[in-house]
Amino acid sequence: MIFQPVLNVFLLVLLFAPVAGLAVWMLVRSVRRPADGASGAGPVMWSLRLVMVLACFAMLLRPGIPGGAVQTLATDTDVVIVLDTTASIVAEDWDGDRPRLEGARADVQAIVDGYPGARFALITFDAAAEQRLPLTTDTTALMSSLEILRPEVTAQSRGSSIGIANAMLQETLAAAAQSAPDRSRMVFYLGDGEQTAASDPESFSGSAQFVDGGAVLGYGTDEGGPMRITSGTFEAGDPRYIEYQGAPAMSVRDDANLQTIGDELGVPLQIRAAATPIDLPAAPATTTNYAESGEVGNVIELYWVFAMITVLLLGVELARAAMLAAQLRGLALRGGAR
């Protein structure tokens, strides 16, 4: 049995211990003093509620058992993805008139597929840099983060620097190198190179000492693409476009800036297009190997069992609540008829 908790176990205990304690106390109290009438919750109900709390706790621990094993190449490396989330990332010049973010998502999926077994981290930047996901082997969490990702709110945009993530990237790589010096580290920078801040871009040269490979992936076209106004919500996009001097503002890829970032990191530049598959560099040879047994095991998730128990017990609570509501309505009607 293995566990992959969605939160730190200590935090889960802090959250559930008071609720479980209350349920135990009410259970003991109901045994000593049985509830009066049909509306009172007796030992049976409090026992079910305690089971429901424990089932929720077990579900969030994400238990599993080792499943079938398959032979697969495991990449013993850390991959840090740095993604531009300024308004220009949704400029509509990818694969015709699609937002660039769609291309970035597809390329990140290709990166995930290309380095099985690697750990991935996600850093985004617009007016500020933010670590969306620390180093993890949970690629589902990475892709989920990208699916719900939205660019900065247009009304709050005050210009951004393409190098603002330099300090966070260096800190992430340095921490990875310190905690696991035997692992290699790769960086993929995804953006268009447009510098809209008044200052010069910050340098990524401080991260170069920790980088063993990767690439700068450039999005956009020479003609540029219009950018829709973004509100930061998950609703349908605003049909209006950002305008400049009465016409739609065009975001144009800046190859010179992208090449500078690549030179600072010591990785090549790739100009991306929907019709061209991404050219992934090979992971460092010293960090690519098969597991000692030649197989990597899968995990059979068991959290759904506890989720089903929780749902069933919630159904019992809802049925009991509906029954009590009907009884109270009947009493009210009989009282009114007197």
Side-chain angles (χ1 to χ4, degrees):
M1 180 74 70
I2 59 176
F3 297 92
Q4 304 175 77
V6 298
L7 291 175
N8 185 283
V9 176
F10 180 71
L11 292 178
L12 289 176
V13 171
L14 286 179
L15 289 172
F16 280 88
V19 182
L22 175 62
V24 170
W25 182 72
M26 293 300 297
L27 173 60
V28 173
R29 183 181 178 187
S30 65
V31 170
R32 292 176 177 174
R33 294 192 303 173
D36 296 327
S39 62
V44 174
M45 288 305 304
W46 281 111
S47 297
L48 293 178
R49 289 167 182 171
L50 178 60
V51 171
M52 182 166 58
V53 172
L54 295 177
C56 287
F57 180 75
M59 177 182 65
L60 295 179
L61 287 177
R62 284 187 63 192
I65 57 175
V70 294
Q71 191 175 50
T72 183
L73 196 63
T75 308
D76 191 18
T77 191
D78 294 331
V79 179
V80 182
I81 296 168
V82 183
L83 176 63
D84 181 351
T85 52
T86 61
S88 62
I89 197 62
V90 290
E92 297 175 350
D93 57 0
W94 172 264
D95 195 19
D97 60 355
R98 306 301 302 168
R100 294 172 185 171
L101 184 56
E102 290 188 8
R105 286 172 176 152
D107 284 346
V108 172
Q109 182 65 67
I111 293 170
V112 168
D113 296 339
Y115 303 105
R119 297 192 303 177
F120 296 89
L122 175 63
I123 296 174
T124 62
F125 68 92
D126 37 57
E130 179 180 354
Q131 186 178 63
R132 301 273 183 167
L133 193 70
L135 284 169
T136 178
T137 56
D138 189 351
T139 56
T140 301
L142 172 64
M143 298 311 301
S144 296
S145 297
L146 288 173
E147 286 300 322
I148 64 173
L149 196 63
R150 294 294 182 272
E152 65 177 337
V153 178
T154 304
Q156 298 176 358
S157 177
R158 297 295 183 271
S160 59
S161 173
I162 57 175
I164 198 169
N166 71 318
M168 182 166 290
L169 175 61
Q170 184 173 345
E171 291 173 4
T172 302
L173 292 171
Q178 183 177 7
S179 62
D182 294 335
R183 297 176 68 90
S184 67
R185 289 160 296 280
M186 304 181 75
V187 173
F188 289 90
Y189 179 102
L190 291 71
D192 51 44
E194 274 196 310
Q195 177 75 8
T196 56
S199 59
D200 293 331
E202 298 86 346
S203 174
F204 284 96
S205 57
S207 298
Q209 59 181 315
F210 304 110
V211 178
D212 299 307
V216 171
L217 306 179
Y219 300 85
T221 59
D222 295 333
E223 298 78 15
M227 299 166 285
R228 290 184 185 269
I229 294 175
T230 56
S231 61
T233 67
F234 294 96
E235 299 175 357
D238 193 313
R240 296 176 299 161
Y241 287 86
I242 300 174
E243 294 187 354
Y244 177 71
Q245 295 182 346
M250 305 295 284
S251 171
V252 180
R253 187 187 69 242
D254 192 318
D255 292 351
N257 281 341
L258 292 172
Q259 185 61 62
T260 298
I261 295 173
D263 293 341
E264 292 169 351
L265 290 172
V267 298
L269 167 64
Q270 289 187 45
I271 301 303
R272 298 294 300 120
T276 306
I278 185 173
D279 182 16
L280 293 176
T286 56
T287 66
T288 306
N289 49 59
Y290 286 95
E292 291 184 4
S293 64
E295 298 178 334
V296 174
N298 296 324
V299 175
I300 300 176
E301 299 275 7
L302 297 178
Y303 71 88
W304 61 271
V305 176
F306 300 99
M308 289 296 297
I309 294 173
T310 303
V311 170
L312 289 174
L313 294 177
L314 282 174
V316 172
E317 287 284 354
L318 291 174
R320 181 173 181 274
M323 180 186 68
L324 292 177
Q327 291 177 347
L328 290 174
R329 189 179 301 111
L331 290 173
L333 291 175
R334 287 196 296 271
R338 291 178 182 176

